[in-house]
């Protein structure tokens, strides 16, 4: 009998020498892994002995975990106050009451002058306001929201439990002005038809090409958790292409690709789920303990053993002996105090058996470390989702100007990045589809020689989206700083106004209307610039005087003793 061992593969044929050689190399690595050069990769350290996370790609890890993960996060959003508050803070700071369009068509690429491009941009912005603020809400396929509501709902999904937002751009033939409308789609509806495994060109409901670019999406016709009589939509899928053959967007999908190759999004809340669950459970346990201890509890202590007492009396202490003894004692005690009651006005007096005493419990809750534990968990949650602890909890008791200013600057960078990514993935395709309709209907008249929309849609779709303002901690100081930046040509009115959620053109038009109205009434509209400079000057101290000219310098201020507050020149 030969001593050679033949190893067969899944096809019942002997493994090739190359495969066997690779297996020997891997086995050698496994033997050496316990004493890895990097301690973090070893298995002999107690902290790493059972830590075997496996090798997952970004998308495969999400595919196997997505359903359970999203369900748990949605439960947190429904039932946990901090979870609901965190998502609301993000949406309020990123979307607010909606975004204002600042159209910026690239006049160079479109063969126009800057002035011509600005004139067309003003017309586009006016039409966009009519479309997005329509009182009949035709921009929403469900006709329940303006564009601000559509954007807010999508942002709640993108920055909430789902970690992504879907929208389908539909065509409404019965709309009176613009037929372009948006249907926000729940991300749970995007999945592989009939539970199919992922394939080379199908990943978690997203059809991709050889480069990994999405070409279409499979949507259930109904949410998988939507149960009602006659609902068969959850068992039927519809394939929707990403865009038309001429490039008009159909499906918009906003998510952050945390690893290369991911076709779906994962929520920023995922890494802190354990902390949320632990802090919630801890809070429940502490609340239950506090409630139990809030009830006055007492124990009765007796100095004798009833069995020993009956035995000393020579009485039978069978099954009903003890019960009979206590019954007779209680009856005698009741009869005694009934004949000679102790009566104190407004006081109820209870009596005990001879020798007994009542011992009250001593509550030990709430735990002294409860607040520190919960605050630590909330700081971790706030850091993970991109807000400050104070924003999440609305607790500003430990904040001063310096810390608030530093936190605002740091957090604002994160909000700006999130807003920019969300705008490019969700709002920009919607704007592109709508703008195509605008040009197709001839609502914008192009100057001679200008490049039409269909030849360069990217140049026509350049735009800024003005969201909620950053806010001011010290309005006077920050307004003065903005004035200094403008005076030094370090910024623009557009930039300064956008940081406060304003459109500088609309503000200028409003100021012009107000000035004209004052003038029609014969009132002096005043000069804001002069008032601003006057208010910026520090108030004069009592006894100060102004010296018109001292050694060639003007507006020198004097001390009450008459000494000018300047350094006098030394005579040569």
């Amino acid at each position: 009998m030969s001593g050679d061992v033949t190893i067969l593969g899944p096809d019942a044929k002997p493994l090739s020498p190359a495969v066997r050689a690779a297996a020997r190399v891997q086995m050698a690595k496994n033997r050496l892994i316990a004493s890895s050069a990097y301690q973090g990769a070893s298995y002999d350290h107690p902290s790493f002995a059972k830590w075997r996370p496996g090798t997952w790609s970004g998308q495969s890890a999400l595919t196997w975990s997505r359903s359970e993960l999203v369900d748990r996060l949605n439960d947190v959003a429904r039932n946990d106050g901090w979870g609901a508050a965190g998502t609301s803070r993000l949406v309020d700071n990123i979307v607010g009451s909606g975004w204002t369009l600042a159209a910026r068509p690239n006049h160079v690429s479109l063969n126009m002058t800057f002035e011509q491009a600005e004139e067309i941009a003003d017309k586009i912005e006016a039409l966009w306001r009519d479309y997005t603020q329509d009182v009949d809400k035709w921009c929403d396929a469900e006709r329940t929201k303006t564009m601000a509501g559509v954007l807010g709902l999508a942002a709640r999904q993108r920055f909430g439990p789902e970690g992504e937002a879907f929208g389908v751009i539909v065509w409404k033939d019965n709309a009176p002005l613009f037929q372009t409308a948006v249907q926000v789609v729940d991300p749970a509806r995007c999945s592989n038809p009939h539970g199919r495994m992922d394939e080379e060109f199908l990943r978690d409901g997203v059809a991709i090409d050889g480069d990994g670019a999405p070409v279409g999406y499979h949507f259930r016709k109904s949410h998988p958790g939507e149960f009602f009589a006659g609902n068969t939509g959850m068992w039927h899928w519809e394939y929707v292409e990403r865009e038309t053959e001429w490039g008009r967007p159909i499906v918009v999908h906003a998510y952050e690709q945390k690893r290369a190759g991911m076709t779906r999004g994962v929520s920023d809340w995922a890494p802190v789920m354990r902390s949320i669950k632990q802090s919630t459970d801890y809070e429940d346990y502490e609340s239950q303990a506090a409630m139990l201890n809030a009830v006055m509890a007492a124990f009765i202590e007796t100095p004798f053993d009833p069995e020993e007492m009956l035995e000393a009396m020579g009485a039978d202490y069978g099954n009903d002996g003890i019960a009979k003894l206590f019954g007779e004692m209680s009856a005698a005690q009741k009869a005694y105090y009934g004949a000679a009651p102790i009566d104190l006005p407004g006081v109820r007096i209870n009596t005990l058996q001879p020798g007994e005493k009542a011992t009250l419990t001593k509550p030990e809750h709430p735990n002294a470390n409860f607040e520190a534990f919960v605050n630590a968990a909330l700081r971790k949650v706030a850091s993970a989702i991109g807000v400050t602890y104070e924003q999440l909890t609305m607790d500003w008791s430990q904040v001063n100007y310096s810390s608030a200013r530093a936190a605002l600057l740091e957090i604002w960078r994160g909000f700006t990045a999130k807003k920019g990514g969300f705008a490019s993935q969700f709002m920009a395709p919607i704007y592109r589809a709508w703008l195509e309709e605008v040009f197709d209907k001839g609502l914008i008249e192009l100057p001679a020689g200008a490049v039409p929309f269909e030849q360069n849609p990217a140049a026509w779709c350049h735009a800024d989206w003005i969201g909620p303002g950053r806010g001011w901690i010290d309005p006077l100081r920050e307004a003065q700083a903005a004035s200094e930046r403008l005076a030094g040509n370090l910024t623009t009115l557009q930039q300064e106004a956008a940081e406060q959620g304003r459109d500088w053109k609309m503000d200028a038009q409003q100021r012009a209307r107000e000035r004209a109205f004052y003038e029609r009434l014969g009132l002096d509209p005043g000069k804001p610039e002069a008032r601003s400079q006057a208010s910026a000057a520090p108030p004069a101290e009592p006894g100060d005087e102004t010296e018109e000219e001292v050694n060639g310098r003007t507006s020198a201020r004097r001390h009450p003793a008459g000494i000018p507050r300047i350094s006098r020149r030394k005579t040569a």
Side-chain angles (χ1 to χ4, degrees):
M1 182 176 177
S2 174
D4 295 338
V5 177
T6 302
I7 301 177
L8 303 181
D11 56 356
K13 295 181 180 180
L15 293 177
S16 66
V19 173
R20 298 185 67 177
R24 294 190 186 96
V25 172
Q26 185 61 47
M27 182 58 69
K29 291 181 179 179
N30 293 341
R31 293 193 183 100
L32 294 174
I33 199 170
S35 57
S36 175
Y38 286 95
Q39 191 179 67
S42 67
Y43 288 95
D44 56 350
H45 192 281
S47 299
F48 303 125
K50 296 183 179 180
W51 191 2
R52 300 175 183 270
T55 302
W56 299 86
S57 70
Q59 183 55 43
S60 62
L62 181 59
T63 297
W64 288 101
S65 307
R66 175 173 178 76
S67 178
E68 193 71 26
L69 182 66
V70 172
D71 287 345
R72 289 177 176 176
L73 286 172
N74 271 309
D75 184 71
V76 169
R78 284 191 297 266
N79 298 304
D80 182 74
W82 300 123
T87 301
S88 296
R89 298 292 176 273
L90 286 170
V91 175
D92 290 345
N93 282 279
I94 295 172
V95 174
S97 60
W99 291 348
T100 301
L101 169 66
R104 299 284 184 266
N106 189 343
H107 67 282
V108 177
S109 300
L110 299 174
N111 194 29
M112 295 187 297
T113 65
F114 179 80
E115 290 74 17
Q116 289 173 331
E118 282 293 293
E119 183 179 355
I120 292 177
D122 291 342
K123 295 180 181 178
I124 292 175
E125 292 170 5
L127 290 171
W128 177 259
R129 287 194 294 273
D130 292 343
Y131 171 63
T132 58
Q133 300 175 17
D134 178 16
V135 67
D136 295 321
K137 304 175 179 61
W138 284 101
C139 64
D140 177 24
E142 299 176 358
R143 295 196 62 193
T144 59
K145 303 175 286 296
T146 62
M147 188 58 71
V150 171
L151 190 62
L153 176 58
R156 190 166 292 278
Q157 294 179 346
R158 165 62 183 87
F159 302 108
E162 288 83 2
E164 60 183 348
F166 280 100
V168 177
I169 303 175
V170 300
W171 186 265
K172 289 286 188 179
D173 286 318
N174 58 336
L177 181 58
F178 297 105
Q179 281 67 55
T180 300
V182 184
Q183 172 78 60
V184 179
V185 179
D186 193 297
R189 290 177 54 190
C190 183
S191 62
N192 292 345
H194 305 290
R196 284 161 49 187
M197 295 286 291
D198 280 357
E199 302 169 3
E200 183 179 3
F201 299 110
L202 178 63
R203 305 292 175 83
D204 205 0
V206 182
I208 59 176
D209 62 15
D211 295 323
V215 296
Y217 300 83
H218 294 272
F219 293 112
R220 288 179 186 256
K221 291 188 176 181
S222 177
H223 190 282
E226 193 168 42
F227 299 98
F228 56 87
N231 181 22
T232 60
M234 67 175 64
W235 309 114
H236 293 84
W237 279 257
E238 181 181 5
Y239 178 73
V240 183
E241 294 182 340
R242 176 184 180 177
E243 58 191 14
T244 64
E245 60 270 18
W246 64 88
R248 176 185 171 88
I250 300 177
V251 178
V252 291
H253 185 198
Y255 71 102
E256 182 180 0
Q257 194 177 46
K258 297 181 183 295
R259 292 183 65 183
M262 292 183 67
T263 59
R264 299 292 297 273
V266 61
S267 175
D268 291 336
W269 292 84
V272 290
M273 275 188 61
R274 182 172 57 184
S275 296
I276 295 173
K277 180 61 175 171
Q278 289 175 344
S279 63
T280 301
D281 289 344
Y282 185 26
E283 183 178 354
D284 289 342
Y285 298 149
E286 286 293 329
S287 297
Q288 293 170 6
M291 289 175 63
L292 290 174
N293 284 302
V295 179
M296 185 64 69
F299 297 94
I300 304 301
E301 296 182 4
T302 179
F304 58 87
D305 184 342
E307 295 182 358
E308 293 179 356
M309 181 178 179
L310 288 173
E311 185 176 1
M313 296 171 60
D316 180 18
Y317 58 92
N319 294 334
D320 58 346
I322 298 176
K324 182 178 179 181
L325 171 64
F326 277 103
E328 291 175 352
M329 293 177 62
S330 297
Q333 192 177 48
K334 180 178 180 181
Y336 174 82
Y337 286 110
I342 302 175
D343 189 10
L344 295 177
V347 178
R348 179 179 178 180
I349 298 180
N350 295 318
T351 58
L352 303 175
Q353 300 293 344
E356 292 180 342
K357 63 179 180 178
T359 302
L360 299 178
T361 60
K362 297 179 180 180
E364 300 293 340
H365 289 274
N367 194 312
N369 296 323
F370 172 73
E371 184 176 0
F373 176 85
V374 172
N375 287 346
L378 291 177
R379 291 182 189 280
K380 185 189 297 185
V381 172
S383 177
I385 65 175
V387 299
T388 65
Y389 165 81
E390 290 77 16
Q391 286 176 311
L392 177 63
T393 62
M394 300 302 288
D395 176 14
W396 306 93
S397 59
Q398 304 298 321
V399 176
N400 55 34
Y401 174 81
S402 298
S403 61
R405 179 69 177 167
L408 178 64
L409 292 175
E410 186 66 27
I411 292 299
W412 190 252
R413 282 195 288 268
F415 288 154
T416 302
K418 292 178 185 294
K419 173 178 170 290
F422 187 52
S424 66
Q425 290 182 319
F426 192 84
M427 185 55 78
I430 297 172
Y431 176 59
R432 186 239 188 262
W434 170 82
L435 195 57
E436 179 186 78
E437 182 183 356
V438 168
F439 281 101
D440 184 65
K441 291 182 174 180
L443 300 179
I444 300 294
E445 183 178 352
L446 297 182
V451 178
F453 179 86
E454 61 271 13
Q455 292 186 16
N456 194 351
W460 279 109
C461 291
H462 287 193
D464 293 331
W465 299 97
I466 303 172
R470 183 182 64 182
W472 285 333
I473 298 175
D474 188 333
L476 178 59
R477 281 198 238 176
E478 295 180 38
Q480 291 173 352
S483 299
E484 292 292 333
R485 288 193 295 269
L486 287 168
N489 294 321
L490 300 176
T491 186
T492 62
L493 272 176
Q494 174 188 337
Q495 178 67 24
E496 294 295 332
E499 285 194 359
Q500 300 306 321
R502 310 286 302 176
D503 184 342
W504 70 279
K505 286 184 179 180
M506 296 182 66
D507 288 346
Q509 292 172 356
Q510 179 63 27
R511 287 182 59 186
R513 284 194 291 268
E514 293 172 356
R515 185 180 294 273
F517 183 77
Y518 268 71
E519 291 173 350
R520 284 199 303 271
L521 297 179
L523 301 175
D524 181 14
K527 297 181 178 180
E529 295 81 3
R531 289 199 299 269
S532 176
Q533 293 174 1
S535 62
E541 296 180 4
D544 276 16
E545 297 177 359
T546 301
E547 182 174 281
E548 291 299 326
E549 184 171 358
V550 178
N551 291 338
R553 300 179 62 178
T554 60
S555 298
R557 295 173 52 174
R558 290 181 176 273
H559 187 270
I563 306 173
R565 293 187 177 181
I566 61 173
S567 298
R568 292 185 177 273
R569 298 174 184 170
K570 294 182 179 180
T571 56

